[in-house]
Amino acid sequence: MTELIIYAFLFLALIGHTLMASKMYRTVHADDSLSIKEKNDWKLKALVFPGYYFGRYKDRNNNIK
C-alpha cells in the first residue's frame, strides 16, 4: 500500500511538472520581445525547474514594463 502511495505522489509530481513546463513553453514562445537564443534559454530552463523559472520569467517581464 505504501508503494502505491509513493507511485501516486510521483505520478502527480510528474504531471504537475509537465503542465507547468508546457505553460511556460507556450508563454515564452508567444513573447515577441525575445530573440531566438533567449527563447531557447527560457524553454530549456522550463524543462528543468518550470515553477521556479516561470516565476523569474514573470518577474523579469514585470520589471521591463
Side-chain angles (χ1 to χ4, degrees):
M1 187 66 173
T2 305
E3 190 174 315
L4 182 61
I5 293 170
I6 292 170
Y7 287 146
F9 176 75
L10 289 175
F11 178 73
L12 290 176
L14 181 64
I15 292 297
H17 180 89
T18 303
L19 291 174
M20 190 66 193
S22 67
K23 179 175 174 51
M24 182 175 175
Y25 190 92
R26 280 183 278 150
T27 304
V28 169
H29 188 71
D31 189 352
D32 293 332
S33 67
L34 296 174
S35 69
I36 297 288
K37 185 182 181 322
E38 290 173 320
K39 284 183 182 183
N40 287 339
D41 287 343
W42 282 112
K43 288 176 185 178
L44 182 61
K45 291 175 184 177
L47 293 175
V48 180
F49 295 113
Y52 173 72
Y53 284 115
F54 191 59
R56 292 199 50 202
Y57 174 76
K58 287 173 65 175
D59 289 341
R60 177 195 157 292
N61 281 345
N62 289 337
N63 291 335
I64 291 174
K65 294 179 181 177

Tab-separated table of all heavy atoms in Angstrom:
chain	number	residue	atom	x	y	z
A	1	MET	N	0.818	-1.196	0.000
A	1	MET	CA	0.000	0.000	0.000
A	1	MET	C	0.860	1.257	0.000
A	1	MET	O	0.549	2.232	-0.664
A	1	MET	CB	-0.921	-0.050	1.238
A	1	MET	CG	-1.912	1.045	1.260
A	1	MET	SD	-3.065	0.846	-0.117
A	1	MET	CE	-4.208	2.100	0.256
A	2	THR	N	1.937	1.229	0.759
A	2	THR	CA	2.841	2.367	0.816
A	2	THR	C	3.460	2.628	-0.553
A	2	THR	O	3.611	3.780	-0.964
A	2	THR	CB	3.958	2.103	1.841
A	2	THR	OG1	3.369	1.785	3.097
A	2	THR	CG2	4.843	3.313	1.995
A	3	GLU	N	3.776	1.553	-1.218
A	3	GLU	CA	4.369	1.673	-2.553
A	3	GLU	C	3.403	2.359	-3.526
A	3	GLU	O	3.803	3.200	-4.322
A	3	GLU	CB	4.724	0.279	-3.057
A	3	GLU	CG	5.550	0.273	-4.310
A	3	GLU	CD	5.972	-1.142	-4.663
A	3	GLU	OE1	6.407	-1.889	-3.776
A	3	GLU	OE2	5.844	-1.483	-5.853
A	4	LEU	N	2.143	2.034	-3.431
A	4	LEU	CA	1.124	2.645	-4.279
A	4	LEU	C	1.005	4.144	-4.008
A	4	LEU	O	0.884	4.950	-4.941
A	4	LEU	CB	-0.224	1.955	-4.061
A	4	LEU	CG	-1.382	2.450	-4.918
A	4	LEU	CD1	-1.077	2.228	-6.391
A	4	LEU	CD2	-2.659	1.743	-4.529
A	5	ILE	N	1.067	4.529	-2.763
A	5	ILE	CA	1.006	5.955	-2.399
A	5	ILE	C	2.222	6.696	-2.942
A	5	ILE	O	2.098	7.808	-3.465
A	5	ILE	CB	0.885	6.109	-0.871
A	5	ILE	CG1	-0.464	5.573	-0.408
A	5	ILE	CG2	1.062	7.559	-0.445
A	5	ILE	CD1	-0.614	5.458	1.087
A	6	ILE	N	3.370	6.091	-2.845
A	6	ILE	CA	4.595	6.710	-3.372
A	6	ILE	C	4.494	6.886	-4.887
A	6	ILE	O	4.811	7.949	-5.420
A	6	ILE	CB	5.831	5.870	-2.991
A	6	ILE	CG1	6.059	5.935	-1.482
A	6	ILE	CG2	7.065	6.349	-3.744
A	6	ILE	CD1	7.103	4.969	-0.971
A	7	TYR	N	4.036	5.857	-5.573
A	7	TYR	CA	3.886	5.952	-7.033
A	7	TYR	C	2.845	6.992	-7.429
A	7	TYR	O	3.024	7.716	-8.405
A	7	TYR	CB	3.518	4.602	-7.629
A	7	TYR	CG	4.650	3.598	-7.647
A	7	TYR	CD1	4.406	2.244	-7.476
A	7	TYR	CD2	5.967	4.007	-7.830
A	7	TYR	CE1	5.433	1.320	-7.497
A	7	TYR	CE2	6.996	3.092	-7.841
A	7	TYR	CZ	6.726	1.757	-7.675
A	7	TYR	OH	7.746	0.857	-7.696
A	8	ALA	N	1.764	7.090	-6.676
A	8	ALA	CA	0.728	8.094	-6.959
A	8	ALA	C	1.296	9.498	-6.776
A	8	ALA	O	1.052	10.392	-7.598
A	8	ALA	CB	-0.476	7.887	-6.057
A	9	PHE	N	2.058	9.711	-5.725
A	9	PHE	CA	2.678	11.012	-5.490
A	9	PHE	C	3.661	11.362	-6.611
A	9	PHE	O	3.667	12.489	-7.117
A	9	PHE	CB	3.386	11.034	-4.137
A	9	PHE	CG	4.123	12.311	-3.888
A	9	PHE	CD1	3.438	13.470	-3.563
A	9	PHE	CD2	5.509	12.361	-3.993
A	9	PHE	CE1	4.117	14.661	-3.349
A	9	PHE	CE2	6.192	13.540	-3.783
A	9	PHE	CZ	5.499	14.699	-3.457
A	10	LEU	N	4.485	10.410	-6.996
A	10	LEU	CA	5.446	10.649	-8.084
A	10	LEU	C	4.730	10.955	-9.401
A	10	LEU	O	5.162	11.822	-10.168
A	10	LEU	CB	6.383	9.453	-8.247
A	10	LEU	CG	7.404	9.254	-7.142
A	10	LEU	CD1	8.187	7.970	-7.371
A	10	LEU	CD2	8.343	10.443	-7.047
A	11	PHE	N	3.641	10.253	-9.655
A	11	PHE	CA	2.867	10.493	-10.869
A	11	PHE	C	2.288	11.905	-10.872
A	11	PHE	O	2.350	12.620	-11.874
A	11	PHE	CB	1.753	9.453	-10.993
A	11	PHE	CG	0.881	9.661	-12.194
A	11	PHE	CD1	1.348	9.372	-13.463
A	11	PHE	CD2	-0.401	10.163	-12.048
A	11	PHE	CE1	0.548	9.577	-14.575
A	11	PHE	CE2	-1.215	10.370	-13.149
A	11	PHE	CZ	-0.733	10.074	-14.418
A	12	LEU	N	1.719	12.334	-9.748
A	12	LEU	CA	1.161	13.685	-9.651
A	12	LEU	C	2.238	14.751	-9.785
A	12	LEU	O	2.028	15.787	-10.423
A	12	LEU	CB	0.406	13.848	-8.328
A	12	LEU	CG	-0.889	13.070	-8.218
A	12	LEU	CD1	-1.485	13.236	-6.825
A	12	LEU	CD2	-1.876	13.502	-9.286
A	13	ALA	N	3.410	14.497	-9.216
A	13	ALA	CA	4.522	15.445	-9.348
A	13	ALA	C	4.972	15.542	-10.803
A	13	ALA	O	5.242	16.639	-11.306
A	13	ALA	CB	5.685	15.014	-8.453
A	14	LEU	N	5.024	14.421	-11.478
A	14	LEU	CA	5.420	14.408	-12.885
A	14	LEU	C	4.406	15.135	-13.759
A	14	LEU	O	4.776	15.931	-14.640
A	14	LEU	CB	5.600	12.969	-13.372
A	14	LEU	CG	6.028	12.796	-14.824
A	14	LEU	CD1	7.407	13.400	-15.047
A	14	LEU	CD2	6.027	11.337	-15.197
A	15	ILE	N	3.128	14.917	-13.517
A	15	ILE	CA	2.075	15.596	-14.284
A	15	ILE	C	2.130	17.099	-14.031
A	15	ILE	O	2.035	17.905	-14.960
A	15	ILE	CB	0.687	15.023	-13.924
A	15	ILE	CG1	0.565	13.596	-14.424
A	15	ILE	CG2	-0.439	15.886	-14.485
A	15	ILE	CD1	0.648	13.432	-15.929
A	16	GLY	N	2.296	17.500	-12.772
A	16	GLY	CA	2.398	18.920	-12.443
A	16	GLY	C	3.598	19.572	-13.104
A	16	GLY	O	3.517	20.685	-13.636
A	17	HIS	N	4.718	18.880	-13.081
A	17	HIS	CA	5.937	19.383	-13.717
A	17	HIS	C	5.719	19.562	-15.224
A	17	HIS	O	6.085	20.585	-15.792
A	17	HIS	CB	7.075	18.389	-13.455
A	17	HIS	CG	8.374	18.786	-14.051
A	17	HIS	ND1	9.277	19.571	-13.376
A	17	HIS	CD2	8.930	18.531	-15.257
A	17	HIS	CE1	10.336	19.766	-14.148
A	17	HIS	NE2	10.145	19.143	-15.296
A	18	THR	N	5.103	18.589	-15.843
A	18	THR	CA	4.865	18.643	-17.287
A	18	THR	C	3.915	19.776	-17.660
A	18	THR	O	4.163	20.515	-18.623
A	18	THR	CB	4.275	17.302	-17.770
A	18	THR	OG1	5.178	16.262	-17.413
A	18	THR	CG2	4.077	17.298	-19.265
A	19	LEU	N	2.835	19.946	-16.897
A	19	LEU	CA	1.885	21.019	-17.186
A	19	LEU	C	2.505	22.395	-16.998
A	19	LEU	O	2.285	23.304	-17.800
A	19	LEU	CB	0.640	20.859	-16.311
A	19	LEU	CG	-0.241	19.660	-16.625
A	19	LEU	CD1	-1.353	19.545	-15.595
A	19	LEU	CD2	-0.810	19.769	-18.028
A	20	MET	N	3.298	22.570	-15.942
A	20	MET	CA	3.945	23.865	-15.701
A	20	MET	C	4.977	24.157	-16.791
A	20	MET	O	5.088	25.289	-17.259
A	20	MET	CB	4.597	23.864	-14.317
A	20	MET	CG	5.067	25.187	-13.870
A	20	MET	SD	3.663	26.275	-13.618
A	20	MET	CE	4.487	27.822	-13.493
A	21	ALA	N	5.729	23.156	-17.207
A	21	ALA	CA	6.721	23.351	-18.260
A	21	ALA	C	6.044	23.715	-19.580
A	21	ALA	O	6.517	24.596	-20.306
A	21	ALA	CB	7.574	22.095	-18.430
A	22	SER	N	4.927	23.081	-19.893
A	22	SER	CA	4.245	23.398	-21.150
A	22	SER	C	3.640	24.794	-21.116
A	22	SER	O	3.631	25.504	-22.120
A	22	SER	CB	3.177	22.352	-21.465
A	22	SER	OG	2.137	22.412	-20.535
A	23	LYS	N	3.148	25.227	-19.946
A	23	LYS	CA	2.604	26.584	-19.819
A	23	LYS	C	3.707	27.620	-20.040
A	23	LYS	O	3.523	28.593	-20.757
A	23	LYS	CB	1.970	26.765	-18.447
A	23	LYS	CG	1.410	28.160	-18.218
A	23	LYS	CD	0.685	28.239	-16.900
A	23	LYS	CE	0.224	29.620	-16.552
A	23	LYS	NZ	-0.516	30.309	-17.557
A	24	MET	N	4.864	27.396	-19.431
A	24	MET	CA	5.966	28.335	-19.607
A	24	MET	C	6.454	28.310	-21.053
A	24	MET	O	6.762	29.346	-21.620
A	24	MET	CB	7.113	28.026	-18.661
A	24	MET	CG	8.256	29.007	-18.789
A	24	MET	SD	9.538	28.737	-17.596
A	24	MET	CE	10.728	29.943	-18.138
A	25	TYR	N	6.526	27.131	-21.629
A	25	TYR	CA	6.985	26.987	-23.006
A	25	TYR	C	6.102	27.814	-23.951
A	25	TYR	O	6.585	28.561	-24.783
A	25	TYR	CB	6.956	25.511	-23.398
A	25	TYR	CG	7.622	25.215	-24.718
A	25	TYR	CD1	8.957	24.869	-24.767
A	25	TYR	CD2	6.912	25.262	-25.912
A	25	TYR	CE1	9.575	24.583	-25.971
A	25	TYR	CE2	7.520	24.983	-27.113
A	25	TYR	CZ	8.841	24.642	-27.135
A	25	TYR	OH	9.440	24.371	-28.328
A	26	ARG	N	4.771	27.699	-23.790
A	26	ARG	CA	3.846	28.462	-24.647
A	26	ARG	C	3.965	29.961	-24.410
A	26	ARG	O	3.915	30.757	-25.352
A	26	ARG	CB	2.408	28.010	-24.404
A	26	ARG	CG	2.077	26.731	-25.147
A	26	ARG	CD	0.641	26.356	-24.936
A	26	ARG	NE	0.645	25.667	-23.629
A	26	ARG	CZ	-0.356	25.649	-22.788
A	26	ARG	NH1	-1.468	26.249	-23.067
A	26	ARG	NH2	-0.264	25.009	-21.653
A	27	THR	N	4.126	30.367	-23.158
A	27	THR	CA	4.240	31.789	-22.830
A	27	THR	C	5.506	32.386	-23.431
A	27	THR	O	5.473	33.471	-24.019
A	27	THR	CB	4.245	31.984	-21.306
A	27	THR	OG1	3.072	31.398	-20.758
A	27	THR	CG2	4.294	33.449	-20.946
A	28	VAL	N	6.611	31.685	-23.291
A	28	VAL	CA	7.884	32.172	-23.842
A	28	VAL	C	7.828	32.192	-25.363
A	28	VAL	O	8.303	33.140	-25.997
A	28	VAL	CB	9.059	31.299	-23.341
A	28	VAL	CG1	10.333	31.594	-24.098
A	28	VAL	CG2	9.264	31.510	-21.854
A	29	HIS	N	7.249	31.186	-25.955
A	29	HIS	CA	7.175	31.106	-27.414
A	29	HIS	C	6.357	32.257	-27.996
A	29	HIS	O	6.654	32.749	-29.089
A	29	HIS	CB	6.583	29.767	-27.845
A	29	HIS	CG	6.655	29.528	-29.314
A	29	HIS	ND1	7.840	29.272	-29.965
A	29	HIS	CD2	5.688	29.522	-30.267
A	29	HIS	CE1	7.591	29.120	-31.257
A	29	HIS	NE2	6.300	29.262	-31.466
A	30	ALA	N	5.354	32.723	-27.272
A	30	ALA	CA	4.493	33.809	-27.757
A	30	ALA	C	5.095	35.192	-27.534
A	30	ALA	O	4.592	36.175	-28.085
A	30	ALA	CB	3.140	33.734	-27.075
A	31	ASP	N	6.173	35.287	-26.760
A	31	ASP	CA	6.792	36.576	-26.445
A	31	ASP	C	7.646	37.041	-27.625
A	31	ASP	O	8.682	36.461	-27.923
A	31	ASP	CB	7.649	36.444	-25.189
A	31	ASP	CG	8.141	37.776	-24.666
A	31	ASP	OD1	7.950	38.804	-25.344
A	31	ASP	OD2	8.714	37.781	-23.563
A	32	ASP	N	7.211	38.122	-28.285
A	32	ASP	CA	7.934	38.617	-29.454
A	32	ASP	C	9.126	39.500	-29.098
A	32	ASP	O	9.930	39.832	-29.967
A	32	ASP	CB	6.980	39.417	-30.358
A	32	ASP	CG	5.927	38.527	-30.983
A	32	ASP	OD1	6.208	37.325	-31.172
A	32	ASP	OD2	4.822	39.035	-31.274
A	33	SER	N	9.267	39.888	-27.835
A	33	SER	CA	10.375	40.756	-27.450
A	33	SER	C	11.674	39.989	-27.247
A	33	SER	O	12.735	40.592	-27.107
A	33	SER	CB	10.025	41.525	-26.168
A	33	SER	OG	9.936	40.639	-25.071
A	34	LEU	N	11.607	38.658	-27.239
A	34	LEU	CA	12.796	37.845	-27.020
A	34	LEU	C	13.410	37.399	-28.340
A	34	LEU	O	12.707	37.144	-29.313
A	34	LEU	CB	12.443	36.597	-26.205
A	34	LEU	CG	11.945	36.806	-24.785
A	34	LEU	CD1	11.512	35.472	-24.202
A	34	LEU	CD2	13.002	37.434	-23.921
A	35	SER	N	14.738	37.291	-28.342
A	35	SER	CA	15.422	36.741	-29.516
A	35	SER	C	15.279	35.215	-29.489
A	35	SER	O	14.839	34.637	-28.499
A	35	SER	CB	16.902	37.127	-29.496
A	35	SER	OG	17.573	36.445	-28.442
A	36	ILE	N	15.684	34.587	-30.565
A	36	ILE	CA	15.607	33.123	-30.650
A	36	ILE	C	16.457	32.480	-29.553
A	36	ILE	O	16.029	31.521	-28.911
A	36	ILE	CB	16.088	32.640	-32.046
A	36	ILE	CG1	15.194	33.175	-33.141
A	36	ILE	CG2	16.168	31.123	-32.100
A	36	ILE	CD1	13.838	32.534	-33.209
A	37	LYS	N	17.643	33.008	-29.320
A	37	LYS	CA	18.530	32.451	-28.295
A	37	LYS	C	17.913	32.594	-26.912
A	37	LYS	O	17.941	31.652	-26.106
A	37	LYS	CB	19.880	33.138	-28.328
A	37	LYS	CG	20.889	32.531	-27.357
A	37	LYS	CD	22.202	33.256	-27.381
A	37	LYS	CE	23.236	32.683	-26.459
A	37	LYS	NZ	22.801	32.198	-25.193
A	38	GLU	N	17.330	33.748	-26.619
A	38	GLU	CA	16.693	33.942	-25.316
A	38	GLU	C	15.497	33.011	-25.137
A	38	GLU	O	15.296	32.454	-24.052
A	38	GLU	CB	16.241	35.394	-25.153
A	38	GLU	CG	17.384	36.376	-24.991
A	38	GLU	CD	16.913	37.811	-25.000
A	38	GLU	OE1	16.012	38.134	-25.805
A	38	GLU	OE2	17.437	38.600	-24.196
A	39	LYS	N	14.713	32.848	-26.198
A	39	LYS	CA	13.576	31.931	-26.129
A	39	LYS	C	14.049	30.511	-25.839
A	39	LYS	O	13.485	29.811	-24.994
A	39	LYS	CB	12.778	31.944	-27.434
A	39	LYS	CG	11.906	33.157	-27.605
A	39	LYS	CD	11.094	33.055	-28.876
A	39	LYS	CE	10.258	34.299	-29.073
A	39	LYS	NZ	9.404	34.218	-30.252
A	40	ASN	N	15.099	30.089	-26.522
A	40	ASN	CA	15.618	28.737	-26.312
A	40	ASN	C	16.164	28.563	-24.902
A	40	ASN	O	16.006	27.499	-24.296
A	40	ASN	CB	16.694	28.406	-27.345
A	40	ASN	CG	16.110	28.161	-28.714
A	40	ASN	OD1	14.934	27.854	-28.852
A	40	ASN	ND2	16.934	28.315	-29.738
A	41	ASP	N	16.814	29.600	-24.361
A	41	ASP	CA	17.328	29.524	-22.994
A	41	ASP	C	16.187	29.363	-21.989
A	41	ASP	O	16.252	28.523	-21.093
A	41	ASP	CB	18.138	30.773	-22.642
A	41	ASP	CG	19.492	30.820	-23.335
A	41	ASP	OD1	19.954	29.768	-23.828
A	41	ASP	OD2	20.089	31.908	-23.381
A	42	TRP	N	15.132	30.168	-22.142
A	42	TRP	CA	13.997	30.070	-21.222
A	42	TRP	C	13.275	28.732	-21.386
A	42	TRP	O	12.806	28.145	-20.413
A	42	TRP	CB	13.022	31.224	-21.433
A	42	TRP	CG	13.485	32.502	-20.807
A	42	TRP	CD1	13.875	33.634	-21.455
A	42	TRP	CD2	13.613	32.786	-19.408
A	42	TRP	NE1	14.233	34.597	-20.549
A	42	TRP	CE2	14.076	34.106	-19.278
A	42	TRP	CE3	13.380	32.052	-18.252
A	42	TRP	CZ2	14.307	34.696	-18.047
A	42	TRP	CZ3	13.614	32.637	-17.019
A	42	TRP	CH2	14.073	33.942	-16.925
A	43	LYS	N	13.163	28.242	-22.610
A	43	LYS	CA	12.487	26.956	-22.832
A	43	LYS	C	13.283	25.810	-22.200
A	43	LYS	O	12.696	24.881	-21.637
A	43	LYS	CB	12.306	26.703	-24.324
A	43	LYS	CG	11.257	27.583	-24.956
A	43	LYS	CD	11.205	27.349	-26.460
A	43	LYS	CE	10.263	28.288	-27.148
A	43	LYS	NZ	10.261	28.089	-28.606
A	44	LEU	N	14.603	25.878	-22.275
A	44	LEU	CA	15.434	24.847	-21.661
A	44	LEU	C	15.288	24.890	-20.145
A	44	LEU	O	15.189	23.853	-19.489
A	44	LEU	CB	16.896	25.036	-22.057
A	44	LEU	CG	17.878	24.009	-21.519
A	44	LEU	CD1	17.508	22.617	-22.016
A	44	LEU	CD2	19.291	24.366	-21.938
A	45	LYS	N	15.250	26.099	-19.595
A	45	LYS	CA	15.054	26.235	-18.152
A	45	LYS	C	13.692	25.686	-17.736
A	45	LYS	O	13.543	25.140	-16.639
A	45	LYS	CB	15.176	27.696	-17.739
A	45	LYS	CG	16.587	28.227	-17.863
A	45	LYS	CD	16.630	29.710	-17.568
A	45	LYS	CE	18.027	30.259	-17.796
A	45	LYS	NZ	18.093	31.704	-17.584
A	46	ALA	N	12.691	25.827	-18.610
A	46	ALA	CA	11.348	25.326	-18.308
A	46	ALA	C	11.339	23.813	-18.184
A	46	ALA	O	10.503	23.250	-17.472
A	46	ALA	CB	10.367	25.750	-19.395
A	47	LEU	N	12.250	23.139	-18.839
A	47	LEU	CA	12.299	21.683	-18.753
A	47	LEU	C	12.924	21.205	-17.446
A	47	LEU	O	12.643	20.107	-16.988
A	47	LEU	CB	13.083	21.108	-19.932
A	47	LEU	CG	12.435	21.292	-21.297
A	47	LEU	CD1	13.378	20.784	-22.377
A	47	LEU	CD2	11.109	20.592	-21.366
A	48	VAL	N	13.765	22.048	-16.838
A	48	VAL	CA	14.477	21.641	-15.636
A	48	VAL	C	13.672	21.956	-14.375
A	48	VAL	O	13.307	21.071	-13.612
A	48	VAL	CB	15.866	22.308	-15.578
A	48	VAL	CG1	16.616	21.881	-14.336
A	48	VAL	CG2	16.677	21.981	-16.829
A	49	PHE	N	13.399	23.248	-14.149
A	49	PHE	CA	12.645	23.702	-12.973
A	49	PHE	C	11.579	24.686	-13.421
A	49	PHE	O	11.746	25.897	-13.304
A	49	PHE	CB	13.570	24.385	-11.960
A	49	PHE	CG	14.589	23.476	-11.349
A	49	PHE	CD1	15.937	23.649	-11.619
A	49	PHE	CD2	14.204	22.454	-10.496
A	49	PHE	CE1	16.879	22.821	-11.048
A	49	PHE	CE2	15.144	21.625	-9.924
A	49	PHE	CZ	16.499	21.811	-10.201
A	50	PRO	N	10.460	24.204	-13.940
A	50	PRO	CA	9.478	25.107	-14.542
A	50	PRO	C	8.841	26.085	-13.568
A	50	PRO	O	8.633	27.251	-13.908
A	50	PRO	CB	8.442	24.170	-15.137
A	50	PRO	CG	8.600	22.891	-14.427
A	50	PRO	CD	10.046	22.811	-14.038
A	51	GLY	N	8.540	25.664	-12.371
A	51	GLY	CA	7.888	26.560	-11.414
A	51	GLY	C	8.790	27.717	-11.018
A	51	GLY	O	8.373	28.875	-10.994
A	52	TYR	N	10.027	27.413	-10.705
A	52	TYR	CA	10.988	28.430	-10.284
A	52	TYR	C	11.277	29.421	-11.407
A	52	TYR	O	11.205	30.635	-11.217
A	52	TYR	CB	12.282	27.754	-9.827
A	52	TYR	CG	13.399	28.723	-9.523
A	52	TYR	CD1	13.338	29.521	-8.391
A	52	TYR	CD2	14.503	28.828	-10.365
A	52	TYR	CE1	14.364	30.412	-8.110
A	52	TYR	CE2	15.515	29.708	-10.090
A	52	TYR	CZ	15.451	30.505	-8.961
A	52	TYR	OH	16.457	31.392	-8.692
A	53	TYR	N	11.582	28.907	-12.594
A	53	TYR	CA	11.953	29.791	-13.692
A	53	TYR	C	10.762	30.533	-14.291
A	53	TYR	O	10.929	31.615	-14.839
A	53	TYR	CB	12.703	29.024	-14.779
A	53	TYR	CG	14.128	28.743	-14.365
A	53	TYR	CD1	14.582	27.455	-14.154
A	53	TYR	CD2	15.015	29.784	-14.167
A	53	TYR	CE1	15.879	27.204	-13.757
A	53	TYR	CE2	16.312	29.545	-13.773
A	53	TYR	CZ	16.743	28.261	-13.566
A	53	TYR	OH	18.025	28.029	-13.174
A	54	PHE	N	9.558	29.985	-14.176
A	54	PHE	CA	8.394	30.724	-14.651
A	54	PHE	C	8.168	31.953	-13.780
A	54	PHE	O	7.833	33.023	-14.276
A	54	PHE	CB	7.153	29.839	-14.673
A	54	PHE	CG	5.993	30.453	-15.398
A	54	PHE	CD1	6.115	30.801	-16.734
A	54	PHE	CD2	4.799	30.685	-14.765
A	54	PHE	CE1	5.052	31.367	-17.420
A	54	PHE	CE2	3.725	31.246	-15.434
A	54	PHE	CZ	3.854	31.596	-16.764
A	55	GLY	N	8.387	31.806	-12.491
A	55	GLY	CA	8.307	32.955	-11.590
A	55	GLY	C	9.358	34.005	-11.921
A	55	GLY	O	9.076	35.204	-11.944
A	56	ARG	N	10.566	33.567	-12.208
A	56	ARG	CA	11.635	34.511	-12.578
A	56	ARG	C	11.346	35.172	-13.917
A	56	ARG	O	11.624	36.344	-14.108
A	56	ARG	CB	12.980	33.789	-12.632
A	56	ARG	CG	13.396	33.349	-11.234
A	56	ARG	CD	14.833	33.050	-11.062
A	56	ARG	NE	15.689	34.092	-11.569
A	56	ARG	CZ	16.960	33.887	-11.904
A	56	ARG	NH1	17.482	32.694	-11.780
A	56	ARG	NH2	17.696	34.870	-12.351
A	57	TYR	N	10.772	34.422	-14.852
A	57	TYR	CA	10.425	34.976	-16.160
A	57	TYR	C	9.344	36.045	-16.013
A	57	TYR	O	9.433	37.109	-16.625
A	57	TYR	CB	9.956	33.858	-17.093
A	57	TYR	CG	9.448	34.345	-18.421
A	57	TYR	CD1	10.339	34.763	-19.402
A	57	TYR	CD2	8.090	34.405	-18.687
A	57	TYR	CE1	9.876	35.221	-20.626
A	57	TYR	CE2	7.622	34.858	-19.898
A	57	TYR	CZ	8.518	35.269	-20.864
A	57	TYR	OH	8.049	35.732	-22.063
A	58	LYS	N	8.339	35.773	-15.197
A	58	LYS	CA	7.268	36.743	-14.991
A	58	LYS	C	7.794	37.998	-14.289
A	58	LYS	O	7.411	39.104	-14.645
A	58	LYS	CB	6.136	36.112	-14.186
A	58	LYS	CG	5.325	35.121	-15.010
A	58	LYS	CD	4.311	34.379	-14.196
A	58	LYS	CE	3.258	35.301	-13.661
A	58	LYS	NZ	2.190	34.565	-12.945
A	59	ASP	N	8.679	37.832	-13.304
A	59	ASP	CA	9.281	38.985	-12.627
A	59	ASP	C	10.111	39.807	-13.592
A	59	ASP	O	10.114	41.035	-13.550
A	59	ASP	CB	10.153	38.551	-11.453
A	59	ASP	CG	9.344	38.017	-10.281
A	59	ASP	OD1	8.128	38.321	-10.234
A	59	ASP	OD2	9.918	37.321	-9.445
A	60	ARG	N	10.826	39.139	-14.484
A	60	ARG	CA	11.643	39.828	-15.486
A	60	ARG	C	10.772	40.678	-16.390
A	60	ARG	O	11.101	41.808	-16.698
A	60	ARG	CB	12.414	38.789	-16.310
A	60	ARG	CG	13.246	39.356	-17.433
A	60	ARG	CD	13.635	38.194	-18.380
A	60	ARG	NE	13.954	38.595	-19.698
A	60	ARG	CZ	13.124	39.099	-20.620
A	60	ARG	NH1	11.896	39.343	-20.333
A	60	ARG	NH2	13.530	39.407	-21.820
A	61	ASN	N	9.624	40.142	-16.799
A	61	ASN	CA	8.722	40.882	-17.670
A	61	ASN	C	8.060	42.044	-16.933
A	61	ASN	O	7.804	43.083	-17.535
A	61	ASN	CB	7.647	39.956	-18.263
A	61	ASN	CG	8.189	39.157	-19.424
A	61	ASN	OD1	9.238	39.472	-19.969
A	61	ASN	ND2	7.487	38.116	-19.788
A	62	ASN	N	7.774	41.886	-15.649
A	62	ASN	CA	7.165	42.973	-14.891
A	62	ASN	C	8.144	44.117	-14.681
A	62	ASN	O	7.751	45.273	-14.611
A	62	ASN	CB	6.661	42.472	-13.537
A	62	ASN	CG	5.440	41.582	-13.682
A	62	ASN	OD1	4.731	41.677	-14.678
A	62	ASN	ND2	5.214	40.727	-12.715
A	63	ASN	N	9.428	43.812	-14.562
A	63	ASN	CA	10.439	44.861	-14.370
A	63	ASN	C	10.715	45.628	-15.651
A	63	ASN	O	11.128	46.779	-15.610
A	63	ASN	CB	11.740	44.253	-13.830
A	63	ASN	CG	11.595	43.751	-12.411
A	63	ASN	OD1	10.746	44.220	-11.661
A	63	ASN	ND2	12.401	42.792	-12.045
A	64	ILE	N	10.517	45.004	-16.795
A	64	ILE	CA	10.777	45.659	-18.082
A	64	ILE	C	9.698	46.691	-18.392
A	64	ILE	O	9.970	47.764	-18.871
A	64	ILE	CB	10.879	44.616	-19.218
A	64	ILE	CG1	12.156	43.801	-19.029
A	64	ILE	CG2	10.894	45.274	-20.575
A	64	ILE	CD1	12.298	42.651	-20.007
A	65	LYS	N	8.454	46.347	-18.096
A	65	LYS	CA	7.331	47.209	-18.457
A	65	LYS	C	7.180	48.389	-17.563
A	65	LYS	O	7.597	48.699	-16.617
A	65	LYS	CB	6.037	46.415	-18.463
A	65	LYS	CG	6.043	45.385	-19.555
A	65	LYS	CD	4.775	44.584	-19.553
A	65	LYS	CE	4.838	43.541	-20.651
A	65	LYS	NZ	3.709	42.691	-20.677
